[in-house]
Amino acid sequence: MRNSLDPAKLNAALEDVHRAGMPGLFAEVRDGDEVWRGAAGVADVATGRPVTTDMRHRVGSITKTFTAAALLQQVESGRIGLDEPIGRYLPKLVPGRRGDAITVRMLLDHTSGLAEYLPYAYPSLKAFPALADTGPESLDDHRFTRFHPTELIGMGVTAPAVGAPGGTPGVYSNTNYLLLGELLEHVTGTRAEEYITRNVIERAGLRDTGFPDDPYVEGPHSRSYEAWFGMIDPPRDYSVYDMSWVGPTASLISTVADLNRFFGMLLAGEIVSPSSLAQMQHTVPVVSQEGKTIDYGLGLHPMEAPGQGTFWGHGGTVWGAGALAMTRADGKRQMSVAVNLQRWNKLDSSGTPQPHPIDDALAALHRVAMYG
């Protein structure tokens, strides 16, 4: 099971992703007490400024693991019941029978049946998941839009349901985690971002992780290049962006070192109790936003290869920025990777994203990072 780090292989795999077309990426891999950090490519394609391993980065839906951990803390305190209906807590946001049928657990594991709000908040994405009929115009229109979470939740709740409450496979939806943010505020009397900061981020001793107060990323960071399936060519920088469109679902800024520290502590039972961690690791099938069926728990999902043990973590993407953080169940082997280009796959005549060399190169990097 134990694989010590091979810096030459890791550096080569990182460079391969850059050569395949990724402007810049950086990573940290841990194996016990050994630590490797690497970076390849540029943080700014115009100036050639290089990426570095200490950069702060928008990590997208990895935020969900932090939000889920905060919720589980409140479950441990008895303020929230995992199998209580959301309508008990937030009857105005999820009214009537749906509020009675959808439980907190269903929001956490995406089996609520609530639709994704994004195509309704971003009109040019209305046709999603029919990608060929979408366009990137709304990304520019909403660069400085300040959304209120209840406005976005209303879009998801009033949209046609994508499944019955508790039905599987579930369907991944950011509406679920915006509701969880409102639930946190309801039971704690504190904004979700503030509660998560105090009780998860600070508890884990993360020095470079936080929610943005404005559209900017403070500290050293890369630009974030969005291609929207080849419709933005050349890819456009969205590193300056108001993140209220995702809030406690995907707005967190962190570093690869902080992500490894957080997931290591989470899996060691130092953020939530071992029994809460076991709840987080109980999975159901869920259809991801890419249309793939994955196993998903309560803000965690597993990755595994034969004979290599199970890794737990989360991936994330926002406009132009992406990250993946995975930690082996025993906590010994860890990987966090950040990239500064998103949706690089162009569409074929049928509107299906086409394979790109970046895909294989990234998959190879993940394999080397996780399994040696």
Side-chain angles (χ1 to χ4, degrees):
M1 177 86 64
R2 181 171 174 78
N3 300 300
S4 61
L5 300 182
D6 186 331
K9 285 177 67 175
L10 287 163
N11 283 315
L14 203 71
E15 288 290 345
D16 284 346
V17 180
H18 173 51
R19 277 195 293 268
M22 180 61 62
L25 71 161
F26 46 103
E28 180 187 89
V29 180
R30 291 178 171 267
D31 193 315
D33 294 331
E34 293 184 74
V35 181
W36 169 88
R37 298 184 183 97
V42 297
D44 187 324
V45 297
T47 67
R49 174 171 59 92
V51 285
T52 56
T53 58
D54 62 344
M55 284 184 161
R56 302 184 76 233
H57 196 69
R58 299 196 193 276
V59 299
S61 285
I62 294 175
T63 310
K64 290 181 172 65
T65 312
F66 287 73
T67 301
L71 254 293
L72 266 295
Q73 291 176 355
Q74 290 298 301
V75 171
E76 291 170 16
S77 73
R79 294 191 186 95
I80 294 174
L82 265 183
D83 296 305
E84 289 292 325
I86 190 61
R88 171 185 165 185
Y89 306 102
L90 302 172
K92 292 182 179 179
L93 291 181
V94 192
R97 292 183 178 179
R98 291 176 94 189
D100 294 335
I102 295 171
T103 66
V104 174
R105 186 189 301 274
M106 293 173 196
L107 297 174
L108 283 160
D109 68 11
H110 296 292
T111 58
S112 71
L114 292 172
E116 173 62 61
Y117 63 80
L118 274 178
Y120 301 91
Y122 284 70
S124 69
L125 308 186
K126 190 68 181 276
F128 188 86
L131 297 175
D133 298 326
T134 66
E137 297 81 14
S138 297
L139 277 61
D140 288 312
D141 295 341
H142 286 317
R143 187 185 286 268
F144 296 107
T145 300
R146 194 71 185 166
F147 288 105
H148 193 278
T150 57
E151 172 190 6
L152 299 172
I153 289 167
M155 296 175 186
V157 171
T158 57
V162 294
T168 55
V171 177
Y172 191 96
S173 170
N174 284 294
T175 305
N176 294 317
Y177 274 72
L178 277 191
L179 272 164
L180 293 170
E182 292 301 295
L183 175 57
L184 264 179
E185 180 170 341
H186 174 74
V187 299
T188 66
T190 305
R191 281 184 66 240
E193 289 89 344
E194 293 175 10
Y195 179 86
I196 295 165
T197 298
R198 284 205 309 267
N199 295 279
V200 179
I201 295 171
E202 292 178 2
R203 183 169 177 173
L206 309 183
R207 297 179 179 178
D208 297 305
T209 299
F211 291 96
D213 295 322
D214 55 39
Y216 302 92
V217 180
E218 294 181 3
H221 64 279
S222 170
R223 295 189 181 274
S224 302
Y225 296 104
E226 179 62 50
W228 195 257
F229 306 102
M231 297 181 207
I232 307 177
D233 189 15
R236 192 169 301 141
D237 170 29
Y238 287 110
S239 54
V240 176
Y241 211 94
D242 188 300
M243 298 304 291
S244 60
W245 64 282
V246 281
T249 78
S251 67
L252 204 62
I253 297 168
S254 190
T255 63
V256 288
D258 268 8
L259 291 178
N260 278 338
R261 178 177 174 84
F262 166 70
F263 280 101
M265 293 182 69
L266 180 69
L267 291 180
E270 296 176 30
I271 307 295
V272 299
S273 70
S275 61
S276 291
L277 179 62
Q279 295 278 4
M280 294 179 76
Q281 293 175 316
H282 178 75
T283 64
V284 294
V286 168
V287 179
S288 72
Q289 288 186 321
E290 293 75 34
K292 300 175 182 177
T293 300
I294 62 172
D295 292 324
Y296 197 92
L298 309 186
L300 279 176
H301 71 83
M303 290 176 65
E304 49 198 327
Q308 296 290 352
T310 302
F311 282 70
W312 291 92
H314 213 290
T317 172
V318 290
W319 312 136
L324 177 66
M326 303 301 293
T327 291
R328 201 166 62 201
D330 64 6
K332 300 299 183 185
R333 185 85 175 197
Q334 297 189 273
M335 168 198 76
S336 289
V337 180
V339 299
N340 66 1
L341 172 69
Q342 285 298 290
R343 283 158 286 272
W344 51 79
N345 305 85
K346 294 184 178 180
L347 306 179
D348 64 13
S349 57
S350 67
T352 303
Q354 288 302 285
H356 190 287
I358 290 175
D359 302 325
D360 288 340
L362 258 184
L365 171 62
H366 295 158
R367 284 194 299 273
V368 171
M370 287 195 290
Y371 309 124

